[in-house]
């Protein structure tokens, strides 16, 4: 059960976002945040298992991937 203080904090933090919040309700907002976090957790667990099985990705391979994905690199530069 979520505490009333926690829920007030969430409402307070979400209020300025107003229409930017996709789910129209606080519970929808929390559910969406939890769904994204669970996705990230599963992906991290998968990547950690892959690292244990075959070893970490080398710097050379990462650079090759970055060069082959130019639009991603351009977005990173813009946000920096």
């Amino acid at each position: 059960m979520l505490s009333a203080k926690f829920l007030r904090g969430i409402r307070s933090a979400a209020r300025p976002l107003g229409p930017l919040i996709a789910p129209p309700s606080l519970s929808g907002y929390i559910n969406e945040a939890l769904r994204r976090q669970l996705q990230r957790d599963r992906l991290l667990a998968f990547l950690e298992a892959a690292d244990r099985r075959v070893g970490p990705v080398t710097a050379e391979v990462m650079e090759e991937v970055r060069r082959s994905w130019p639009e991603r690199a351009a977005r990173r530069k813009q946000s920096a």
Side-chain angles (χ1 to χ4, degrees), residues 5-69:
K5 182 178 179 180
F6 176 77
L7 291 174
R8 280 193 304 273
I10 295 275
R11 283 188 189 102
S12 178
R15 194 171 294 119
L17 300 175
L20 297 176
I21 298 174
S25 67
L26 180 60
S27 64
Y29 185 75
I30 292 170
N31 284 334
E32 181 63 20
L34 288 171
R35 186 191 64 76
R36 283 193 310 269
Q37 186 61 48
L38 289 170
Q39 269 184 324
R40 287 184 184 117
D41 293 347
R42 286 191 302 266
L43 179 57
L44 183 59
F46 171 80
L47 294 173
E48 288 172 348
D51 278 354
R52 285 191 303 275
R53 206 170 34 252
V54 296
V57 176
T58 65
E60 293 82 18
V61 169
M62 285 302 296
E63 185 55 38
E64 180 181 340
V65 169
R66 286 186 181 110
R67 280 194 309 270
S68 68
W69 207 350

